[in-house]
């Protein structure tokens, strides 16, 4: 397993798309921080605390889309290129192929998160004054800690989509649909049928979907964080366990050609 993971990490490190995507995101972050700096130079009062806490906790749901990108980078058209067929024909156990790629996807997502968030925080600290009126690093750490289990669960769903759906566009659309489309569809239908028990149930279910929970995390950083963290771990664990079990079960019986 370790040799397989090392091989997948080596292939990922030599994919230009991964580094290009990361560079584009860092460039956009640089433009945002430059905007903060220019606003202060023009008489604004944007401080380090505001620039960090008004952006990162509010943008936690974007981590799901970055997880989709990481999954696509690792899987990299295995069906189209025939590399997955070669791995199976070589005699590698299917569970090792599946779990190995899942671990590499998680590693790629975590590395992207650390680099993106770390770069943004450092850039804000250098470009904006510190007011000292908020425990920035504590609140930032709590937001990332709460988001981590849900990000892991979403990555499990993405891995299952990559293995079970042929075609890069198809499994990308499926992953985006499950992450973003499903909660919005449930909420929309629930609003239409709000007078009925089924409608109210759909609205409640939509509130516990990963994308919505990540968006709501900012409300629990000051009070009620421990119970919210427990719920985030439960939801992330369910998504990871169900999607991985389904993915392994179907992939072991899937004909690779």
């Amino acid at each position: 397993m370790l040799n397989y993971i090392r091989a997948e990490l080596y292939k990922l490190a030599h994919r230009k798309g991964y580094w290009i995507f990361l560079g584009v995101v860092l460039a956009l972050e640089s433009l945002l921080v430059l905007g903060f700096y220019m606003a202060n130079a023009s008489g604004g009062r944007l401080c380090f605390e505001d620039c960090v806490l008004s952006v990162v906790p509010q943008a936690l749901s974007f981590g799901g889309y970055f997880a989709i990108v990481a999954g696509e980078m690792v899987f990299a058209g295995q069906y189209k290129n025939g590399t997955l067929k070669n791995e199976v024909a070589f005699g590698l156990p299917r569970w090792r192929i599946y779990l190995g790629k899942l671990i590499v996807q998680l590693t790629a997502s975590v590395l992207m998160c650390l680099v993106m968030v770390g770069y943004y925080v450092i850039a804000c600290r250098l470009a904006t004054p510190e007011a000292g009126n908020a425990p920035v690093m504590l609140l930032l750490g709590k937001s990332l800690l709460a988001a981590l289990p849900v990000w892991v669960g979403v990555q499990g769903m993405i891995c299952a989509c990559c293995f079970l759906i042929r075609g890069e566009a198809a499994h990308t659309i499926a992953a985006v649909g499950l992450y973003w489309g499903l909660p919005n569809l449930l909420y929309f239908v629930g609003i239409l049928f709000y007078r009925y028990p089924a409608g109210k149930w759909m609205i409640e279910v939509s509130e516990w979907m990963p994308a919505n929970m990540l968006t709501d995390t900012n409300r629990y950083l000051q009070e009620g964080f421990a119970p919210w963290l427990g719920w985030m771990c439960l939801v992330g664990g369910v998504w990871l366990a169900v999607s991985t079990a389904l993915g392994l079960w179907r992939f072991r019986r899937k004909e690779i050609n």
Side-chain angles (χ1 to χ4, degrees), residues 38-89:
M38 294 179 65
N40 284 339
S42 302
R45 297 182 179 180
L46 295 173
C47 64
F48 169 66
E49 289 84 350
D50 293 336
C51 294
V52 173
L53 297 180
S54 64
V55 173
V56 177
Q58 299 286 352
L60 292 177
S61 61
F62 284 98
Y65 301 106
F66 292 148
I68 294 174
V69 173
E72 294 294 334
M73 293 290 183
V74 173
F75 201 76
Q78 296 270 295
Y79 286 113
K80 179 180 178 181
N81 299 327
T83 52
L84 189 62
K85 178 181 179 180
N86 293 337
E87 291 179 6
V88 173

Side-chain angles (χ1 to χ4, degrees), residues 6-7 41 55 77 80 91 98 103 120 124 141 143 162 164 223 247 251:
R6 281 196 292 265
V55 173
K80 179 180 178 181
Y98 189 98
I103 293 172
Y120 177 75
C124 286
S143 64
C162 290
L164 302 185
E223 297 180 0
F251 180 58

Side-chain angles (χ1 to χ4, degrees), residues 96-172:
R96 183 183 300 173
I97 297 173
Y98 189 98
L99 295 181
K101 282 185 169 53
L102 175 58
I103 293 172
V104 174
Q105 289 178 17
L106 291 172
T107 303
S109 295
V110 171
L111 289 177
M112 280 201 303
C113 174
L114 292 176
V115 173
M116 291 175 186
V117 175
Y119 177 81
Y120 177 75
V121 172
I122 293 173
C124 286
R125 183 65 188 89
L126 295 175
T128 57
E130 187 174 14
N133 58 358
V136 178
M137 301 312 295
L138 175 61
L139 295 177
L140 180 62
K142 289 171 69 175
S143 64
L144 295 178
L145 178 62
L148 180 61
V150 174
W151 285 340
V152 171
V154 171
Q155 191 69 75
M157 176 270 293
I158 296 164
C159 185
C161 289
C162 290
F163 272 94
L164 302 185
I165 302 175
R166 299 182 67 92
E168 296 180 54
H171 60 235
T172 299

Side-chain angles (χ1 to χ4, degrees), residues 26-38:
L26 296 182
L28 293 175
E29 289 181 352
S30 299
L31 290 176
L32 179 61
V33 176
L34 179 61
F36 295 153
Y37 177 80
M38 294 179 65

Side-chain angles (χ1 to χ4, degrees), residues 204-217:
E204 292 178 358
V205 171
S206 70
E207 293 175 352
W208 292 100
M209 300 297 286
N212 289 340
M213 293 190 71
L214 289 169
T215 302
D216 293 340
T217 296

Side-chain angles (χ1 to χ4, degrees), residues 1-10 99-100 103-104 107:
M1 174 64 85
L2 291 178
N3 290 334
Y4 184 82
I5 292 174
R6 281 196 292 265
E8 289 295 313
L9 288 173
Y10 177 83
L99 295 181
I103 293 172
V104 174
T107 303

